[in-house]
Amino acid sequence: MTAQLNPRGDVAVLVPAAGAGVRLGPGGPKALRRIGGEPLLVHAVRRIATAPSVHTIVVAAPPGDEDAVRALLKPVAELTVVAGGATRQESVAAALAAVPTGPEIVLVHDAARALTPTALVESVAEAVRGGEDAVIPVLPVVDTVKEVSAAGVVLGTVDRSALRAVQTPQGFRRAVLAAAHAAAVDPLTDDAGLVEKQGVRVACVPGSEYALKITRPFDLALAEHLLGAVPLAGHH
Ligand code: CTP
Ligand code: MG
């Protein structure tokens, strides 16, 4: 069923989906790998499209696969597909450039976090709406973390209590994200990193275990198992 996005919504969601998925191993671009018989990108977009605040979705597809991605997503939601770039940052910048006038809140969400609950999309958007310039979902770090030398010798133990694992969607006031991308020099792995460099305050909201980034084969197997158990909208 094609989801009808909200024409009065104030949120645009950029979905970088152009990565190769090297760590997942052979099998094509990661966003097009399947769980439950459907590509990760379809799962991710279906959840985003269910969020009531979402006005626009822009997907950055693997270059050359734009038409295939358009066809794949046509039954899911009305959205825009652009060609991604060589780095995640370039893919996000390409998607950002395609956002029409209107939405003043921009979320950036990895296609690889295919099981992210709709409620997390809403809670990040709500924090930006409430006045934050930049918002990230985070989880506490559960393992002990150590700094280790290149030779594999422990240098020290990091204080875990101040550390957080960072997820997406990351939310921004539109002008803040645009300025951070315009000023970007080195490619970073997340958008909040760019915004931090601009000296902008980045606030945290609770993340979700279901927003795990499918990165390695184990994650793909885990996601396949979780699929039946994850409600579209629920937030755990
Ligand atoms: N991504 C992108 N364009 C790139 C690289 C990554 O749009 N040039 C996207 C991926 O498709 C993914 C998200 O950014 O949805 C997070 O990246 P990551 O998990 O690293 O995915 P890949 O780069 O595909 O995986 P790998 O690093 O193992 O190759
Ligand atoms: Mg990558």
Side-chain angles (χ1 to χ4, degrees):
M1 194 190 75
T2 307
Q4 203 58 49
L5 301 185
N6 179 3
R8 290 201 299 270
D10 57 357
V11 175
V13 186
L14 316 181
V15 186
V22 171
R23 289 169 289 179
L24 204 50
K30 180 161 70 179
L32 303 181
R33 300 285 291 268
R34 289 167 188 263
I35 55 172
E38 291 184 306
L40 297 182
L41 179 59
V42 168
H43 291 281
V45 168
R46 187 179 289 131
R47 283 163 168 73
I48 296 164
T50 311
S53 301
V54 174
H55 172 283
T56 300
I57 300 173
V58 183
V59 173
D65 287 339
E66 297 97 299
D67 284 341
V69 165
R70 245 173 237 126
L72 197 64
L73 295 175
K74 202 173 167 47
V76 185
E78 256 186 58
L79 44 69
T80 302
V81 176
V82 299
T87 64
R88 182 186 182 282
Q89 194 165 302
E90 286 173 28
S91 297
V92 173
L96 182 58
V99 177
T101 310
E104 285 303 318
I105 298 173
V106 179
L107 268 50
V108 185
H109 184 49
D110 296 328
R113 298 181 191 272
L115 300 185
T116 301
T118 294
L120 188 60
V121 175
E122 285 298 323
S123 76
V124 170
E126 182 55 35
V128 178
R129 199 174 289 124
E132 297 290 352
D133 280 337
V135 176
I136 59 173
V138 302
L139 289 178
V141 174
V142 291
D143 291 309
T144 297
V145 177
K146 291 188 193 290
E147 194 184 347
V148 176
S149 75
V153 176
V154 170
L155 299 171
T157 302
V158 181
D159 176 13
R160 181 178 72 188
S161 66
L163 300 180
R164 299 290 181 274
V166 176
Q167 304 180 318
T168 75
Q170 301 189 345
F172 307 91
R173 204 161 299 291
R174 181 176 182 155
V176 167
L177 184 64
H181 271 272
V185 194
D186 304 317
L188 299 180
T189 56
D190 80 343
D191 302 279
L194 294 178
V195 167
E196 285 157 45
K197 288 201 166 175
Q198 299 299 104
V200 174
R201 161 192 151 107
V202 180
C204 299
V205 297
S208 166
E209 304 275 15
Y210 289 110
L212 80 153
K213 184 157 71 71
I214 297 167
T215 304
R216 290 163 296 217
F218 179 84
D219 307 320
L220 194 66
L222 180 62
E224 183 85 57
H225 282 288
L226 286 172
L227 192 56
V230 194
L232 219 54
H235 184 197
H236 299 261

